[in-house]
Amino acid sequence: LLHVRFAAKGLGLLHRYRVRWLNDSRVTAAAISLDFEIDRFRKETGDLTRSTVGHLLGWFVNVAELWLACYFLGLPSSIRMVFAGEALAILSDSAVFFVPMRMGAAEGGRVFVFTLLGFSASQGLTFALIQRIRVLTWTIIGLATYPWLVGETLRDRSPRQN
């Protein structure tokens, strides 16, 4: 979001110095509107802060998961190695974002990361499969509870008859 804000400010500077293509009032209006919306979102809602904090906490949970997996797999690990491993895992996940459900790509990425960190490929694959089982377990729990949650929401919204 910050880079978009800078771009909007940059458009304002270009307009001030009379760059020709900015004489179009639509571009100027769009830049001003974008800047206003970003500023409003940042100031009026705490969504950006909550989202950032939630994402950071989720990342720390993944770091803890990697540390626990190394512990239970009997792998020597330091806090630096675990943080580096998780950062590399996120990098590999980001590189293959276009693969549906990261089928095979997540496992290959974990094998690659574990190999980079000096562990065996089989240990990386074991960790990847543990992660896949965890994700599938939470998915099944979510799908099983979804009808109940939707039913509760619909009951709360339905008009009460006396």
Side-chain angles (χ1 to χ4, degrees):
L1 269 184
L2 213 50
H3 62 284
V4 175
R5 183 174 174 86
F6 286 130
K9 290 289 186 186
L11 284 173
L13 286 174
L14 290 174
H15 183 66
R16 187 177 305 152
Y17 292 109
R18 309 274 190 240
V19 175
R20 287 182 186 258
W21 62 271
L22 283 177
N23 286 337
D24 185 1
S25 62
R26 293 176 298 170
V27 174
T28 305
I32 291 170
S33 174
L34 178 64
D35 187 47
F36 174 75
E37 286 299 319
I38 290 171
D39 207 35
R40 183 194 61 78
F41 179 76
R42 189 177 53 84
K43 287 180 181 175
E44 292 180 9
T45 66
D47 293 344
L48 181 63
T49 303
R50 284 192 297 273
S51 173
T52 303
V53 169
H55 189 78
L56 184 63
L57 289 174
W59 191 77
F60 281 130
V61 167
N62 287 343
V63 169
E65 178 189 27
L66 179 58
W67 183 80
L68 284 171
C70 287
Y71 177 78
F72 286 116
L73 291 173
L75 305 175
S77 61
S78 67
I79 194 71
R80 286 182 180 176
M81 190 273 308
V82 172
F83 271 91
E86 184 57 31
L88 289 169
I90 289 173
L91 181 65
S92 72
D93 286 348
S94 298
V96 294
F97 71 93
F98 52 87
V99 177
M101 289 181 52
R102 296 178 301 141
M103 285 300 216
E107 289 79 8
R110 297 307 181 270
V111 168
F112 178 69
V113 168
F114 268 66
T115 305
L116 279 178
L117 296 174
F119 301 117
S120 71
S122 63
Q123 291 167 329
L125 185 60
T126 301
F127 176 68
L129 293 176
I130 289 170
Q131 277 190 321
R132 184 67 71 180
I133 291 169
R134 176 187 52 86
V135 168
L136 288 174
T137 301
W138 283 111
T139 301
I140 290 168
I141 290 170
L143 288 173
T145 58
Y146 182 73
W148 175 76
L149 292 172
V150 170
E152 288 290 318
T153 303
L154 291 176
R155 274 189 291 254
D156 291 342
R157 291 184 183 174
S158 66
R160 306 235 192 273
Q161 295 180 355
N162 292 332

